[in-house]
Amino acid sequence: MNEGKPGTPEASEGPDGDFELARPNGMRSPRTGPDGDYELGRPLSGAPDGGAATDSPAWDRPSDSDTAPGRGTSTGSGAESVADHPPDGTVPAPAHGTPPPAVEQPKPLHDPDPYSTPPYGEPGPWAPAPPVQHPAATPAHGVPVGAPPAAPEAAPGPGAPSAPAPPVQHPAATPAHGVSVGAPPAVPEAASGPGGHATAPEAGPVAQDAPAAGPWARYDPWAAPAAVAPLQQADPVEEDVKRRRGRRRRALVGGALVIALVSGVVGGVVGVQLERNGGIGAVELPQAGVEAPDRDPDSVAGIAAQALPSVVTLHVSGGGKAGTGTGFVLDDRGHILTNDHVVEPAGKNGDITVTFHSGDTAEATVVGRDSGYDLAVVRVKGVRGLTPLPLGNSDNVQVGDPVVAIGAPFDLAGTVTSGIISARERPITAGGEDGDGSDVSYVDALQTDAPINPGNSGGPLLDGKGRVVGINSAIRSADGGLDPEGGQSGSIGLGFAIPINQGKRVAEELIEHGKATHPVIGITLDMAYSGDGARVAAEGGDGGPPVSTGGPGAKAGIRPGDVITEVDGRPVRSGEELIVKTRAHRPGDRLELTLERNGEERTVSLVLGSSDGD
């Protein structure tokens, strides 16, 4: 059963006949104390290494070398001697950076025990455990550590056995940065206890350079983990100034690049989102607040606001023809003035529908018409609340005066355009589709650059105060023709209107008599004459005399072949222009004519006659 284990001494018989427990090798025989009890044996001197036992009192107290200042208690290993130290008992400090001399560790006498039995020569399980003193914590940054307080001496008791082995003191931690540690207090000599046995002295601090005496010399299973001294940074190395600046510059450049990159990415993402989603949140553009609708009465808006309720659109159909034109209210009885060529498709049995600015419509009938003046009057019945447009005086109009044209170009009712008077007394002739001249109109017109298009015919031309100064009748088309309907080419800035003074007289006669009178001289003109002026024909048109007998011309002394060059001092260049100048006056008006006869120039005066419009 005990094979492989170290041998154990046999038990011996004591004085009283009892057997004494066997002692392990290396332990002293028990001693008898004063009270007859046995004192446990102490380990022999030189215990853990198994050296020879001795009964010398030197085992009971520390030697001079053990208690020398600056040294710890001897471990009994025999590795050092008193001769190794100076006579004054101090341990010379090793040179800076020189490691302490290596101490040869004794080899255990026995192989390791597989049953975890303590090595021979060490205290057994029956021996009281030696007190253990924990090492003092290393102070931070080399603050000197004070000497630990001395342990009180063990008080001897009657019949008490010898004191156990002296406590082992761990070496104090070396302070940081080479700060010297205070010398430990001297260890007092062991006091004699009862029975003459020496009491174990208090353990002093272990020498800093004392080697370990065996694997169990510093083993403390109950010791708390030693405090770890805080680390201290080494002194910083001074860097080169240029190198520091270079690193700083690189850091700044790198930071700027990172910021630029991040800003670009964020800006791109935000831009894409704004482009795709039309912005962040709802888009709200700046806008002016609501203003009052009222305008200055003399402005275009003010004029249009006043005139539009009195302007109407006419839709005419009959005889296979249809057309659209414009008219305006003359009075509250329902009379409306327009162009003759607007109502001409209706004939005698056609339909005319009048549409007001409010959207209301009414049927209209023709009151009277005159192709020579290109004017007509229609009337609507059953309509109340009509507002007539105020009439101005066309003789007061001057070139450059602002004007406003209102009509329904291409059936776009209520269209307002503006411009100026481009010329006055512009003689024009329009119509003549029948070929006999009966439908030709002669107008001493007002020229305007206000845009006028097909559908504007019959509409009002207003001055700066909203008064009617003309009736829009014709435009010069792009092909050079003069068409009352204006053709289909649209306005080129050459529009013509019948002066309101002429229109007023004709409208009054049409409302009162259903037809208008024309002022006449009583002569027949040679329309084929190409010279400058209007020449009196040699023969009359209907087979009668070229100068009507008893007419205004005959009374003034005009003869066939005479050339009229001026009317009231204004030049006349053709026969059409003489007709226009004459019709610009009323019957009964006096005219001054300048004529040439056989190379001689003469001036005559006459009073205009009247014609029934045939």
Side-chain angles (χ1 to χ4, degrees):
M1 296 298 291
N2 294 332
E3 293 180 0
K5 292 184 179 181
T8 304
E10 298 180 356
S12 59
E13 184 178 357
D16 54 358
D18 297 331
F19 288 95
E20 179 183 5
L21 294 174
R23 297 186 302 275
N25 293 334
M27 297 295 293
R28 294 178 179 273
S29 299
R31 299 180 180 178
T32 304
D35 54 358
D37 295 332
Y38 288 95
E39 179 183 3
L40 293 176
R42 294 189 297 273
L44 300 177
S45 299
D49 59 353
T54 178
D55 293 334
S56 173
W59 186 89
D60 296 324
R61 64 179 180 270
S63 62
D64 294 339
S65 62
D66 294 336
T67 59
R71 301 283 297 178
T73 306
S74 174
T75 58
S77 62
E80 292 180 331
S81 64
V82 176
D84 295 337
H85 302 283
D88 56 358
T90 61
V91 179
H96 181 69
T98 304
V103 180
E104 182 179 0
Q105 299 292 336
K107 183 178 180 180
L109 297 179
H110 304 280
D111 294 333
D113 184 7
Y115 299 98
S116 301
T117 305
Y120 288 94
E122 296 293 337
W126 53 86
V132 180
Q133 181 179 2
H134 299 286
T138 305
H141 301 291
V143 180
V145 179
E153 296 182 358
S162 299
V168 179
Q169 181 179 9
H170 296 282
T174 304
H177 301 291
V179 181
S180 61
V181 182
V187 180
E189 295 185 358
S192 299
H197 297 285
T199 305
E202 296 180 359
V206 180
Q208 190 171 6
D209 56 352
W216 299 90
R218 297 184 180 181
Y219 174 71
D220 185 4
W222 302 281
V228 180
L231 300 178
Q232 183 178 9
Q233 295 180 347
D235 295 335
V237 180
E238 294 185 0
E239 298 179 354
D240 186 77
V241 176
K242 294 183 178 180
R243 187 177 302 173
R244 286 202 304 266
R245 291 179 179 175
R247 285 201 299 268
R248 189 177 305 168
R249 189 180 298 108
R250 287 193 296 272
L252 292 176
V253 172
L257 292 177
V258 171
I259 293 175
L261 179 60
V262 173
S263 301
V265 172
V266 173
V269 172
V270 173
V272 170
Q273 293 298 324
L274 291 177
E275 182 178 1
R276 290 180 178 178
N277 302 329
I280 301 175
V283 177
E284 185 176 355
L285 301 177
Q287 183 181 18
V290 179
E291 297 179 353
D294 298 337
R295 293 292 183 271
D296 185 355
D298 295 339
S299 66
V300 175
I303 294 171
Q306 295 176 8
L308 280 171
S310 301
V311 179
V312 299
T313 301
L314 285 79
H315 295 88
V316 181
S317 62
K321 298 180 181 179
T324 302
T326 308
F328 58 93
V329 177
L330 291 174
D331 53 29
D332 56 0
R333 293 183 296 173
H335 291 105
I336 296 172
L337 182 62
T338 186
N339 284 135
D340 176 68
H341 70 266
V342 172
V343 299
E344 187 272 331
K348 295 181 179 180
N349 301 316
D351 296 329
I352 301 175
T353 302
V354 176
T355 304
F356 294 90
H357 183 66
S358 61
D360 298 330
T361 61
E363 297 295 327
T365 59
V366 177
V367 174
R369 46 182 295 215
D370 190 292
S371 61
Y373 288 109
D374 194 17
L375 293 174
V377 174
V378 298
R379 182 181 182 184
V380 293
K381 295 181 178 180
V383 179
R384 298 180 180 179
L386 297 177
T387 304
L389 273 179
L391 304 180
N393 190 334
S394 55
D395 290 341
N396 297 331
V397 175
Q398 300 297 323
V399 174
D401 286 348
V403 289
V404 175
I406 301 178
F410 301 101
D411 203 15
L412 300 174
T415 299
V416 179
T417 58
S418 64
I420 61 171
I421 296 295
S422 304
R424 294 180 56 196
E425 300 179 356
R426 185 73 73 187
I428 64 171
T429 58
E433 296 180 1
D434 294 341
D436 57 0
S438 61
D439 59 343
V440 177
S441 60
Y442 300 90
V443 179
D444 195 16
L446 298 174
Q447 180 179 320
T448 179
D449 64 349
I452 297 175
N453 291 283
N456 277 99
S457 296
L461 184 68
L462 308 173
D463 63 7
K465 295 184 178 180
R467 299 172 299 189
V468 180
V469 293
I471 300 100
N472 301 319
S473 299
I475 63 172
R476 177 71 67 175
S477 60
D479 59 1
L482 191 64
D483 191 346
E485 290 293 334
Q488 296 298 321
S489 61
S491 174
I492 60 173
L494 293 174
F496 303 96
I498 300 172
I500 191 59
N501 289 1
Q502 183 175 347
K504 175 180 178 296
R505 181 184 68 83
V506 174
E508 290 172 347
E509 290 181 354
L510 293 176
I511 294 173
E512 185 175 355
H513 305 290
K515 61 181 180 179
T517 60
H518 298 168
V520 295
I521 300 176
I523 59 176
T524 301
L525 297 175
D526 183 4
M527 304 304 293
Y529 179 71
S530 59
D532 190 13
R535 186 174 68 176
V536 180
E539 296 181 358
D542 54 357
V547 178
S548 300
T549 304
K555 294 178 179 180
I558 300 174
R559 299 178 182 180
D562 291 345
V563 178
I564 302 173
T565 58
E566 293 181 1
V567 176
D568 290 339
R570 296 179 183 178
V572 174
R573 297 179 176 86
S574 64
E576 288 83 359
E577 189 170 347
L578 178 60
I579 297 173
V580 169
K581 296 296 184 180
T582 301
R583 290 192 177 181
H585 294 80
R586 292 174 178 267
D589 291 345
R590 181 172 292 274
L591 294 181
E592 296 289 335
L593 301 177
T594 301
L595 53 87
E596 292 181 359
R597 180 185 302 167
N598 300 324
E600 295 180 2
E601 184 176 295
R602 296 183 180 188
T603 302
V604 296
S605 176
L606 56 86
V607 175
L608 293 173
S610 175
S611 169
D612 58 4
D614 294 335

